[in-house]
Amino acid sequence: MNDVIQAPTIEYGTLAPLLIIFGAACIGVLVEAFAPRYLRKSIHVPLTLLSLIGAFALVIVQVMRGVPTQAVAMGAVAVDGPALFIWGVIIVLSFVSVLLINDEGHFVASAAAVPGSADEEEAEAADNGTGQTEVYPLVLFAVGGMLLFPASHDLLTMFVALEVMSLPLYLLCGLARRRRLLSQEASMKYFLLGAFSSAFFLYGIAMIYGYAGTVSLPGINAALAKGALLDPLLMIGLALLGVGLLFKIGAAPFQSWKPDVYQGAPTPITALMASGTLVAAFGAVLRVFWVGLGNLDWNWRPVIWGVAALTMIVGSILAITQTNIKRMLAYSSIAHAGFLLVGVMATFGAAGQNAQSLKAILFYLAVYGITTVGAFAVVTLIRDPGGEAGHLSRWAGLGKRSPILAGVFAFFLLAFAGIPLTSGFFGKYAVFAAALSSGTQPGDSMGGWMAGLVVVGVVASAIAAFFYVRVIVLMFFSEPAADGPAIAVPSMGTVAVIAVSLLVTVGVGLYPESILGVANDAASALFIR
């Protein structure tokens, strides 16, 4: 009778970065509801940027206090070394993406107006440069989902995080000011295919729960250690869960949404998806396969081997056929997802290689993400009367019209190709070296297969170099058209994004230890199990 039921404790300090992002998003919703329209942007921009700065500072504070060794929020969230590193990367990428979003001209004045209608013309005439101010709270909700997704310690929390991340992005993809029908088509395709992938993910959770009796990742791993590994519920659940996760990273054969969505979405949103969403999705993939399915690696590694090889080949070959710059970068992103899957394969190669492979993946995600945002920032500045100059033919002679801008973009492309003295070279080298080292360890049944996968990666990199160099040749060795695109005057935010991205790409290419050391510290702590 005297027993007192203790309420579960929630470690607010550990979850502070998440709480500040979601709190700022909720405040943004209240601003949209009650603040006058002319004041909203002046409130949203500092609120969004300050919340991201505050969240990043809290991540640093948490690292200085010590990496937690236990899951928090009743075991639903694991804020370990890899999660803190991924959080820091996502927050930085979101911050620079918001600087692009803040530029005028990217978002429609009234999303409810039918394209080409009188209502749209009236909204454009009445617009004072604020555009759709609800973009900012939507971005914060998406960023909050990106932070929660890779830190989720059970599958149900991971599903909620997936939806919190995805739903705002579905809306944001349809808010482009120019080429609105293309933007709305991209939004609808992303929504429909994303809904299907979420359904697969949820059905996979149900099947695995039926097998393990729990949705906790450590609980699933414990059930695998003493249960039948060929149980139909487990096999079907693993397949469905894999489909949902591979869709989010754009791995083949689930990559068809990426080119259409990247092309139609407002370019700042494309930059956020191509960087932040990819980082979050790979963090979730690592946690599921490392913490939850570690005892089943002999089953899923052959499948991931095939998916990685197919993704690298499909992304590299189909990129050659593209005539739109954003679609080309989308297929480039698909190929890079394949390179990262090589690292995922290596995480279970042999004892002692886990931390090295994890370090390589974390490093690759950081350097690829910042280079991607810089590349899309350049794309926003090449304008035609109808919007951004997407067709590659419009980029002909850009090196003669704007040599600095063309030179910066060429350097980003060389980083994507993995040319030495760029951050991309060390990213690919770290992943391939970890894979080869993993495959040469005794006791690894897939040792020879790992070497073959690295060979496929090297060949895919050589193919990818062709279409990157093709754009560089087009910019510097072709004559500009008389009616060529205009070079927009960049805002201070866009200049800052391009400058930071260039400095990181060059700096890491010359001194990779600057980020490799941080990635190594994060990987050394491993995931909480």
Side-chain angles (χ1 to χ4, degrees), residues 451-494:
L453 189 60
V454 172
V455 170
V456 174
V458 172
V459 172
S461 298
I463 296 172
F466 169 78
F467 61 80
Y468 294 131
V469 172
R470 180 183 65 173
V471 176
I472 295 172
V473 170
L474 186 68
M475 290 191 297
F476 288 97
F477 299 99
S478 299
E479 291 298 323
D483 60 342
I487 311 300
V489 178
S491 67
M492 291 300 296
T494 302

Side-chain angles (χ1 to χ4, degrees), residues 24 28 74 97 115 122 373 398 402 419-420 501 521:
M74 295 176 285
S97 297
E122 181 180 347
V373 175
L398 182 64
S402 180
I419 301 301
S501 301
D521 292 340

